[in-house]
Amino acid sequence: MTKEKMIKNYIESGEHVFIALTPTIGEVFSAEGVIRRLDANGYFQLEFMKSINGFHISQVESITTD
């Protein structure tokens, strides 16, 4: 399954997810929340406690759920 399809599935399910991201080479960090939308350019919104952050599909290393 592609990252895009996986993200679309999580948007539809509304599940709380944990995402390992690599925004720059060699740095990995985790983010959590509910993925709200995915735009045509590959950017998605992750909402956690009314805070929204944006990331690109290319930054995703892995996605897990509770």
Side-chain angles (χ1 to χ4, degrees):
M1 178 181 312
T2 65
K3 289 180 187 178
E4 181 178 356
K5 179 66 176 161
M6 188 183 327
I7 288 172
K8 285 180 179 179
N9 287 343
Y10 285 121
I11 291 169
E12 290 175 9
S13 74
E15 281 187 84
H16 185 96
V17 298
F18 298 90
I19 303 177
L21 299 153
T22 307
T24 58
I25 296 173
E27 293 181 28
V28 177
F29 74 95
S30 296
E32 66 177 287
V34 177
I35 302 172
R36 293 294 181 200
R37 63 182 298 268
L38 174 66
D39 70 19
N41 295 322
Y43 286 92
F44 62 94
Q45 291 181 340
L46 185 67
E47 182 179 335
F48 181 69
M49 297 180 70
K50 298 184 182 181
S51 175
I52 298 174
N53 292 293
F55 302 101
H56 192 268
I57 288 176
S58 66
Q59 298 172 311
V60 175
E61 294 294 322
S62 65
I63 303 176
T64 59
T65 60
D66 292 333

